[in-house]
Amino acid sequence: MHVMRKVVKEFEAVPFCLTKIYDSVQSLQVADSPREKLIVILGATSTGKSSLALEIAQRFGTEIISADSMAVYRNFNVGTAKPSPADLKRVPHHLIDILDAEEKFSVGEFVRRARPIISELNLRGKIPIVAGGTGLYIQALIEGYELGAGKSLISHYKRTGELIYDACIFGLTTERNELYDRINRRTVEMFANGLVDEVQNLLTSGVKPNAQAMLGIGYKETVEYLTGNASLDEAISKVSQATRNFAKRQLTWYRRMKYIQWLKI
């Protein structure tokens, strides 16, 4: 029997060009707008969002707001691909290393913390950069989600057709096979860069295996290895597979955000 395979359509994207990105940001800078200004860089994991954010931030003298649900946790560095200490010195970052492992973080908390930072940077004449892969966080922020009667979410964007920020929203994408290759390479690099030691140190310091942050991809699989429930090769394979599945969910989420300018890396 012939089995039909579901073909996932790639995003319509233009070739990545840093000069054109700079031109777009420059145009936003000089635009006369009643709304606060914002740059957003999103995309699936392993597409280079952090590197691009650093490039733009240095070029335009601005700051980065992390939209990553795992980067908020202190001492969770290798498995979250958190910016290096050198990168954090180069460009100020916000919403990184703000919570302990047991604390919970939500979309509402992200929006509550991000909005005043955006306002403060705009008042200083800077266009902040929101960079990360947690699509719900970014969508709720730029579309202006609010709690309505009966605790239902109301979207300013769906109600008015306008985002609450005057924004350049860039999405980084690549062909699916290339994305999965990048994910597999990054997983191997994380283990080579000390993920096992990082998780062991967290456990030794008293972080429980069922702590909120330990449930993140890379951490729970490493705990399985350290407790003898998986070999190292099995743990690496599980992390790669879980990350690929996460990337699929990210891409599915982004399809509902029709205002993204997709750039093919």
Side-chain angles (χ1 to χ4, degrees):
M1 181 172 62
H2 179 67
V3 178
M4 292 288 290
R5 289 186 63 193
K6 184 178 179 182
V7 178
V8 179
K9 188 182 176 200
E10 303 288 352
F11 291 109
E12 290 184 12
V14 298
F16 180 93
C17 175
L18 196 54
T19 301
K20 289 183 178 178
I21 293 171
Y22 287 163
D23 288 346
S24 294
V25 174
Q26 184 69 47
S27 296
L28 179 62
Q29 232 177 7
V30 299
D32 184 14
S33 174
R35 292 175 290 163
E36 292 177 335
K37 296 175 182 180
L38 187 66
I39 301 160
V40 177
I41 302 169
L42 51 77
T45 185
S46 303
T47 50
K49 299 180 294 296
S50 297
S51 296
L52 178 58
L54 281 165
E55 291 272 359
I56 297 174
Q58 284 202 294
R59 175 67 178 258
F60 292 94
T62 188
E63 303 178 14
I64 296 170
I65 301 167
S66 170
D68 186 310
S69 61
M70 284 295 295
V72 295
Y73 293 107
R74 300 182 190 97
N75 302 315
F76 285 71
N77 304 322
V78 178
T80 62
K82 199 176 285 180
S84 68
D87 290 337
L88 294 174
K89 281 185 179 179
R90 281 169 60 198
V91 173
H93 283 66
H94 302 268
L95 304 189
I96 286 179
D97 294 335
I98 59 172
L99 297 180
D100 292 326
E102 294 80 12
E103 295 182 84
K104 293 190 176 179
F105 197 63
S106 66
V107 58
E109 185 67 10
F110 169 77
V111 171
R112 185 186 72 77
R113 288 175 180 253
R115 280 182 179 169
I117 299 169
I118 293 168
S119 295
E120 191 264 340
L121 286 168
N122 269 268
L123 284 172
R124 286 164 49 199
K126 298 175 183 286
I127 305 178
I129 301 170
V130 170
T134 307
L136 173 60
Y137 286 12
I138 295 171
Q139 185 178 21
L141 175 70
I142 62 178
E143 292 190 9
Y145 278 36
E146 300 284 357
L147 274 178
K151 294 192 175 180
S152 59
L153 281 176
I154 298 171
S155 164
H156 172 84
Y157 174 69
K158 287 186 178 145
R159 193 173 67 247
T160 67
E162 185 177 71
L163 300 174
I164 66 168
Y165 297 105
D166 190 1
C168 285
I169 303 169
F170 302 112
L172 302 184
T173 187
T174 188
E175 293 181 3
R176 201 62 62 99
N177 289 341
E178 167 64 17
L179 175 60
Y180 290 171
D181 285 344
R182 282 170 170 257
I183 288 170
N184 293 340
R185 290 195 300 269
R186 178 163 148 181
T187 301
V188 171
E189 285 171 9
M190 284 194 316
F191 279 89
N193 290 337
L195 179 58
V196 172
D197 287 342
E198 177 170 281
V199 176
Q200 182 62 72
N201 290 337
L202 288 164
L203 293 171
T204 301
S205 72
V207 176
K208 299 289 190 292
N210 63 349
Q212 178 75 14
M214 276 293 197
L215 302 179
I217 296 172
Y219 290 93
K220 60 179 178 290
E221 295 86 357
T222 304
V223 168
E224 287 183 24
Y225 162 65
L226 288 171
T227 54
N229 294 312
S231 69
L232 183 58
D233 285 345
E234 286 171 338
I236 292 171
S237 178
K238 285 181 178 182
V239 173
S240 287
Q241 183 61 61
T243 308
R244 292 194 298 270
N245 291 342
F246 174 57
K248 288 179 190 174
R249 294 194 297 274
Q250 287 176 303
L251 295 171
T252 298
W253 191 278
Y254 296 140
R255 289 186 189 284
R256 67 186 74 186
M257 300 165 71
K258 306 298 184 185
Y259 39 76
I260 299 170
Q261 301 176 55
W262 286 103
L263 308 173
K264 190 164 188 177
I265 57 175

